[in-house]
Amino acid sequence: MRVRVAFLVILVFSFAIIGKILYIQFVDGDKWRKLAVENLIQFRKVKATRGNIYSDNGSLLATSLPFYKVAIDPRIADERVFRSGIDSLSRLLSAFFKDKSSLEYKRKIIDARAKKDVQYLVINRKMINFQAKKQMMQWPIFREGRSKGGVIFEKVDKRFRPFSYLAMRTVGFINEDNKGAGLEYSFHRDLGGTDGEALFMKIAGGEWKPMHDESEVRPKQGIDIQTTININMQDVAESSLLRHLTAHDADYGCVVLMEVATGEIKAIANLGKQSPGIYTENYNYAVGNQGLTDPGSTFKLASVIALFEDSNIELEDSVETGTGTYEFYDRLMTDSKPEGYGTITFQEAFEKSSNIGISRKVNEHFGLSPQKYIDYIHSLGLADPIGFQMHGEAKPFIKKPTDRSWSGISLPWMSIGYELKISPLQTLMLYNAVANNGKMIKPIIVKETKLADKTLKAYNTEVVREKICSDNTLAKVRKMLEGVVERGTANNINNTIYKIAGKTGTAQKIKNGQYIKDYYCSFAGYFPADKPKYSCIVVIDSPKGYRKYGSDVAAPVFKEIADKIYATDLDLHLPIARTKVSPEHGVFPVIRGGYHEDLNYLCNELGISNHSIKDANEWVMAKAVNNAVMWQQKEVVQGAVPDGTGLTLRDAYYVFENAGLRVKHVGHGRVSRQSMPPGARIVKGNTIYIELE
């Protein structure tokens, strides 16, 4: 009986299984077939090729390079092609990838071919570049192509930066969740293009094999963007900033270099400390919230503009700063000079960065109407966001008399850059306006978007304020800014070759409501001061050691950057007086100058009368006198920059390189201009730029 019952149970269970199979096959069949197709075959996105990011001269800052995954459909090749080529192909694959023997590759492909149902076999998961793909397309079996050999090169784009870490944070990144930073994130909509769609089949191993058919929607390539970044200036800014951050063991620093007339940012460097001596571009301190802080004495420029505009104060007016301390209500303000500056002029108070001198004047004039002072700050564009082209711009904080935190000491402390927060880029915008004859313009970092050579959108210079102050005020503050470098707190960066105008800043930090011996150092200014072309701000936060002031820490970075730019930009130099030779037509060829022995030989061969002055050295200049050429001595002083005017390129290289300089040239003919003035002291290894015409 037990056996019969067990048999009946098994029989019933078997009939139930058969019934369920029939039900699934005929009743729910359509549902499950549809689900199978959805799981195994589906439309998937095909990523568009991302647009390029260019520097100001067209150099690539970021681009997408094609890489390929190598796969094969082992069923496709006919027997003759497969048998004759499999051994050679296996050896080539083994030699290229260097991870398996040729026998292993051969066995892998033959086994897949024998199974008949393998349609997509990944040869190696290592991506190859385009050159490798071209090479592989000549290999046995692969050279038959996709339709006859079964080879599949699946394209995958990877982002590549030709200049590696240069401007890394500025160029930025974008991840799979469309989160990121920098230009890649800010202009993602343009750079990203439009993704396409294609049919893919899921195969063994979880791989998705593309099925090319008429339903495929091709992706649209992303749009390129051209930035205003100059590669050489960016390199100079980053290198100088890194060197000084390391020397002072600072927490972070930033540099922004801007073209005065256009507002184009030529360099923007942001470096934060990761570990002792190691700095990376981990945050945009020039624009973001972490860089929003009390600016310190660089803000005094805004205070003196407000005073000049709203009072009759003059540069020569006296200011009593006392013995270095002054009490505003219940708070003591100090100057950096312990014994104080005593009675000085208003101009000297600014040049020496006297906190007491500036605060007393601001408090005397605006103390009864502080809102008027705040209105001036707003009129200078320092209270509103810039509307910068990159995401992450911080909103400035300017305290108002109606705020609950406003007190009797707010106005004096605000006048010297405390109890308010603005970004380095906003500070630079103010200094740039002074350099630009009062016209305030919005900084830009992207000049245009384009597709191939066609410009889609141009970002032109945008004027924020036509005039930030009167011409009279402008003349006064420019004189004060030049005085800071000539006689004031930044006289350590003064030089005789070109003039710098600017202001140092040293803001003491607050911790737990108390000021501590930790500083935020900065220098903002422009150069050349008499004809400004570039404005720049340098910020170094929390320097260690005994040198902690803006003049010691930030100003030298500014000078180093300015020196290198001045040396390489011939347009910044005053034209060198040229010795013009006007030869008599038909009598003399054009002779200007060069190596005496060569010129003497040529003139003798051509039958031209020539005469040397007594004790002439190797290098001479030519002067036509009657029907003869007189050689005049061209003196070369040891340790001084030679005068290369009139020399041929070969002679110029010889003279300058013998003097210890590196030479770069533009143009053809003879030297007409040189970046270093004759007679200037030579620093071995410096580069001199010469222009020939």
Side-chain angles (χ1 to χ4, degrees), residues 48-53 60 62-67 155-161 184 191:
T49 300
R50 198 165 177 81
N52 298 325
I53 300 178
L60 276 169
T63 188
S64 291
L65 294 182
F67 286 82
K155 184 182 173 186
V156 178
D157 285 328
K158 286 189 176 182
R159 211 62 173 156
F160 175 69
R161 303 168 194 258
E184 292 275 21
L191 291 166

Side-chain angles (χ1 to χ4, degrees), residues 74-86 110 113-114 116 141 148:
R75 307 168 307 155
I76 299 296
D78 63 37
E79 193 64 23
R80 181 185 61 81
V81 170
F82 186 82
R83 289 293 177 192
S84 64
I86 186 62
I110 288 177
R113 181 178 173 88
K116 303 293 185 183
I141 302 178
K148 293 183 178 180

Side-chain angles (χ1 to χ4, degrees), residues 436-496:
N436 199 28
N437 295 317
K439 182 185 288 187
M440 181 175 278
I441 52 182
K442 181 191 289 188
I444 61 170
I445 196 168
V446 174
K447 201 168 185 179
E448 62 182 11
T449 59
K450 57 185 184 179
L451 193 60
D453 292 329
K454 182 182 178 183
T455 298
L456 302 179
K457 184 176 181 179
Y459 296 92
N460 299 315
T461 300
E462 185 178 331
V463 178
V464 178
R465 282 163 179 76
E466 279 291 343
K467 205 79 170 174
I468 62 168
C469 60
S470 66
D471 288 334
N472 187 38
T473 295
L474 202 60
K476 291 176 183 176
V477 296
R478 289 185 71 160
K479 187 175 181 180
M480 294 169 88
L481 290 169
E482 290 175 29
V484 170
V485 179
E486 291 172 2
R487 299 172 296 277
T489 54
N491 64 355
N492 59 315
I493 66 169
N494 192 24
N495 70 89
T496 58

Side-chain angles (χ1 to χ4, degrees), residues 315-336:
L315 294 173
E316 299 77 19
D317 288 356
S318 62
V319 182
E320 180 56 54
T321 66
T323 58
T325 59
Y326 187 84
E327 192 170 1
F328 287 96
Y329 297 93
D330 62 342
R331 188 77 61 85
L332 201 66
M333 182 178 285
T334 61
D335 274 336
S336 58

